[in-house]
Amino acid sequence: MKKNVFGIINKRMVMLAAGLCLGGMLLVGSARAQSRQVLLHTTEGDIRIALSDLTPLHRDNFIKLVNEHFYDSLLFHRVIKGFMIQAGDPNSRHAEPGAMLGDGDTDYTLQPEFRTPQLYHRRGVVAMAREGDEVNPARRSSGCQFYIVWGKTFSSLELEKMQVRLDSMTHHEVTITPEMFQTYKRIGGTPHLDGQYTVFGKVVEGLDVVERIQRVFTDDYDRPVDDVRILSATVLTP
């Protein structure tokens, strides 16, 4: 069985959110200016993603799948307002309306590449989904399903409590640094996922499209009632 990020058992892939470009601010420690970029041309507009050189396994796998046109015509099959948008299930390409999605994957998983505090779950980052800890204690990433973080802003008290939660979930391996603290307060994100899901990229253009998608009307399984589709995905020349 698989569970979602809130711990509810179901048949869908766990989603679970890497640096954002917002108002001209780049994530400190993220990929160099000439890092590879991918353009997602969607039914809601274009989203440009910069891939991080700090996560070469995930970067190269994503580029491989894009070059193979794997993501062309796939849906954003799981959308939760104020949290994230998720895509990459190959079963979504020809899915009937209302069909439950999220179990489709490649025949391989990826070794995690946690790079906190350089890459963390601030708004606009791109990360790989994975199955839950109960069946995936190594926290290996899905081979194809990814999500883009929207999240929320947090108060100082909420972040202090979040640190206690992270200490438990990551065996004290993740510390919310002063920079992360201020980012989560001012810009937002999903800090409870840090150090547990691999962040491998960031949105550099089209964050307004992400915002629009995360607001669409969804059914009881978090699937948009009106399909939101990746029409094509293209690797851009540096």
Side-chain angles (χ1 to χ4, degrees):
M1 298 288 288
K2 298 175 182 178
K3 69 176 183 178
N4 65 21
V5 69
F6 303 109
I8 302 173
I9 303 298
N10 61 35
K11 294 183 178 179
R12 292 169 291 154
M13 173 72 63
V14 176
M15 135 72 217
L16 292 180
L20 153 74
C21 175
L22 181 64
M25 295 186 296
L26 296 177
L27 174 61
V28 175
S30 62
R32 298 185 304 270
Q34 295 303 311
S35 293
R36 301 301 297 275
Q37 296 190 1
V38 168
L39 181 67
L40 302 181
H41 179 48
T42 83
T43 51
E44 294 294 322
D46 290 348
I47 303 171
R48 184 188 293 256
I49 296 168
L51 306 178
S52 176
D53 293 334
L54 297 176
T55 53
L57 295 178
H58 287 70
R59 177 200 63 201
D60 293 349
N61 177 70
F62 199 69
I63 289 172
K64 170 182 174 292
L65 293 177
V66 170
N67 283 333
E68 292 173 350
H69 301 285
F70 178 93
Y71 291 112
D72 293 4
S73 198
L74 297 191
L75 299 178
F76 280 97
H77 66 272
R78 186 164 179 246
V79 171
I80 301 177
K81 184 179 180 180
F83 183 33
M84 61 82 214
I85 63 176
Q86 182 173 336
D89 181 350
N91 297 334
S92 70
R93 182 172 283 108
H94 303 296
E96 294 293 327
M100 184 183 293
L101 298 167
D103 279 339
D105 209 339
T106 57
D107 59 1
Y108 61 87
T109 57
L110 299 172
Q111 178 179 333
E113 295 179 290
F114 305 140
R115 298 292 182 263
T116 308
Q118 296 95 329
L119 303 176
Y120 55 95
H121 283 79
R122 61 184 285 169
R123 180 170 292 170
V125 303
V126 186
M128 228 53 180
R130 65 171 177 85
E131 291 188 300
D133 289 359
E134 73 282 357
V135 295
N136 179 27
R139 295 174 171 171
R140 294 181 66 89
S141 299
S142 163
C144 57
Q145 291 203 37
F146 69 95
Y147 58 96
I148 304 175
V149 171
W150 187 256
K152 52 167 279 188
T153 57
F154 292 80
S155 68
S156 296
L157 180 58
E158 287 175 319
L159 289 170
E160 290 170 2
K161 292 180 178 179
M162 187 66 68
Q163 182 64 69
V164 174
R165 179 177 177 179
L166 287 172
D167 288 344
S168 174
M169 296 297 295
T170 69
H171 305 289
H172 296 269
E173 292 180 357
V174 173
T175 298
I176 301 177
T177 65
E179 177 197 343
M180 295 166 65
F181 195 90
Q182 291 302 317
T183 299
Y184 284 133
K185 286 185 66 175
R186 294 184 297 105
I187 297 175
T190 56
H192 60 287
L193 306 182
D194 285 336
Q196 301 162 79
Y197 299 82
T198 296
V199 173
F200 67 97
K202 63 181 179 181
V203 173
V204 293
E205 289 182 17
L207 196 62
D208 58 323
V209 178
V210 178
E211 180 178 20
R212 189 155 58 245
I213 294 173
Q214 61 94 34
R215 290 180 179 274
V216 302
F217 187 68
T218 58
D219 63 19
D220 291 341
Y221 303 106
D222 301 319
R223 176 178 168 179
V225 172
D226 296 321
D227 286 346
V228 180
R229 193 176 298 276
I230 300 173
L231 299 173
S232 64
T234 308
V235 177
L236 303 176
T237 302

